């Protein structure tokens, strides 16, 4: 028996059915879906049952898209690019309840559709470097799932699929939304290095991470990211 966890959006990782062109690919690390219950042993089933009951997990399990957790700043950065007029008239910390970032009280389905429409319009594909993980325990996996935990979880990589999309669609840029030369995640960084060697002119490694844990302010992130979309 084993813990096997597919990416939460595994069917969308490199799905290009709706794209005629792709100008930008954004690569993150991993977002855990539900474990394969049939593969868990009795102890693991009890452990996951407790995780599933937690308030934190229930909130996390509602997300509809990459970077959709409240603490992640990605969609507000994209919203600044999408609706600059709103932020010209309002403080950067203002909440745009008609925008791309989900806030409590908003309709998740409508926000998700806006996010998808934004990506299609701007020919942006969002993906992650890992498709599946096989951790020895649930420790850290559903608790902010740090890259160091993903690193140690025997990942099945998405690298070859990403390389194929780059080859087929010839995007202008591939943006890496994490530290791609971190000594704490050598395996993840090795996968990014494989893409860099194939397409050295396209990769933009180590943008300021939009993760809340990274601690960057919105003005720092916007300044760092906006030049790649203009």
């Amino acid at each position: 028996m084993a813990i096997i966890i597919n990416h939460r959006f595994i069917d969308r990782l490199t799905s290009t059915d709706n794209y005629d062109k792709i100008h930008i690919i954004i690569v993150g690390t991993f977002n855990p879906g539900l474990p394969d219950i049939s593969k868990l042993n009795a102890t693991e089933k009890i452990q996951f049952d407790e995780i599933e009951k937690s308030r934190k997990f229930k909130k996390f399990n509602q997300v509809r898209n990459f970077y959709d957790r409240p603490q992640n700043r990605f969609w507000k950065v994209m919203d600044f690019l999408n609706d600059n007029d709103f932020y010209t008239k309002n403080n950067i910390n203002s909440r745009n309840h008609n925008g791309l970032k989900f806030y409590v009280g908003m309709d998740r389905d409508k926000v998700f559709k806006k996010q998808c429409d934004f990506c299609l319009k701007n020919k942006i594909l969002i993906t992650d470097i890992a498709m599946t993980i096989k951790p020895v325990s649930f420790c850290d996996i559903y608790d902010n799932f740090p890259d160091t935990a993903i690193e140690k979880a025997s990942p099945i990589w998405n690298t070859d699929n990403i390389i194929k999309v780059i080859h087929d669609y010839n995007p202008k840029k591939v943006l890496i939304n994490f530290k791609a030369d971190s000594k704490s995640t050598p395996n993840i960084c090795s996968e990014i290095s494989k893409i860099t060697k194939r397409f050295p002119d396209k990769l933009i490694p180590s943008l300021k991470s939009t993760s809340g844990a990274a601690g960057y302010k919105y003005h720092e992130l916007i300044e760092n990211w906006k030049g790649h979309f203009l």
Side-chain angles (χ1 to χ4, degrees):
M1 306 298 277
I3 300 174
I4 300 174
I5 304 172
N6 284 332
H7 194 288
R8 178 168 293 273
F9 312 118
I10 192 165
D11 293 338
R12 286 192 261 141
L13 275 178
T14 47
S15 174
T16 58
D17 292 348
N18 295 323
Y19 289 88
D20 56 347
K21 294 181 181 179
I22 295 174
H23 290 165
I24 294 175
I25 298 176
I26 299 172
V27 183
T29 49
F30 185 75
N31 188 316
L34 303 179
D36 184 341
I37 301 297
S38 69
K39 298 294 192 299
L40 301 180
N41 63 33
T43 300
E44 292 162 348
K45 286 178 181 177
I46 292 171
Q47 291 171 341
F48 182 69
D49 185 56
E50 289 303 308
I51 291 171
E52 204 170 18
K53 290 176 182 176
S54 70
R55 182 172 179 269
K56 184 173 186 178
F57 180 87
K58 289 177 180 178
K59 287 181 65 178
F60 154 68
N61 205 37
Q62 293 176 345
V63 302
R64 295 292 310 277
N65 207 358
F66 298 85
Y67 309 119
D68 206 25
R69 293 189 301 151
Q71 58 268 49
N72 200 292
R73 292 159 167 73
F74 177 84
W75 284 112
K76 184 155 185 172
V77 174
M78 295 301 106
D79 195 50
F80 177 88
L81 302 174
N82 187 57
D83 191 0
N84 187 252
D85 286 347
F86 175 87
Y87 295 100
T88 299
K89 298 173 183 176
N90 298 277
N91 185 285
I92 188 61
N93 292 314
S94 298
R95 295 185 174 188
N96 183 2
H97 288 280
N98 292 308
L100 298 175
K101 183 172 175 63
F102 174 82
Y103 296 105
V104 174
M106 296 171 66
D107 186 313
R108 281 193 178 274
D109 290 335
K110 289 182 179 178
V111 175
F112 176 55
K113 185 178 186 306
K114 286 181 181 179
Q115 293 171 351
C116 293
D117 289 346
F118 169 81
C119 287
L120 286 174
K121 175 184 175 183
N122 292 281
K123 307 188 186 311
I124 298 168
L125 178 70
I126 303 174
T127 189
D128 280 340
I129 198 65
M131 297 189 293
T132 301
I133 59 172
K134 301 177 182 179
V136 296
S137 77
F138 287 115
C139 182
D140 288 334
I141 299 303
Y142 294 106
D143 187 16
N144 298 324
F145 36 98
D147 292 349
T148 49
I150 304 305
E151 168 86 2
K152 299 172 183 176
S154 301
I156 295 174
W157 301 110
N158 191 35
T159 313
D160 289 345
N161 295 323
I162 294 172
I163 287 173
K164 185 177 187 305
V165 172
I166 298 172
H167 178 270
D168 291 348
Y169 284 84
N170 192 28
K172 298 174 182 176
K173 297 180 181 181
V174 180
L175 309 180
I176 309 302
N177 191 10
F178 57 88
K179 190 172 176 57
D181 58 356
S182 173
K183 293 181 180 179
S184 63
T185 55
N187 294 327
I188 290 175
C189 294
S190 176
E191 296 304 310
I192 297 301
S193 180
K194 291 176 184 178
I195 304 173
T196 304
K197 288 177 181 177
R198 288 287 301 272
F199 307 100
D201 59 326
K202 295 187 182 297
L203 248 73
I204 311 295
S206 301
L207 272 76
K208 285 182 168 58
S209 171
T210 60
S211 166
Y216 292 111
K217 304 296 184 184
Y218 276 118
H219 71 274
E220 295 177 287
L221 291 168
I222 289 168
E223 189 62 32
N224 185 240
W225 280 75
K226 68 180 182 181
H228 298 294
F229 294 83
L230 300 177

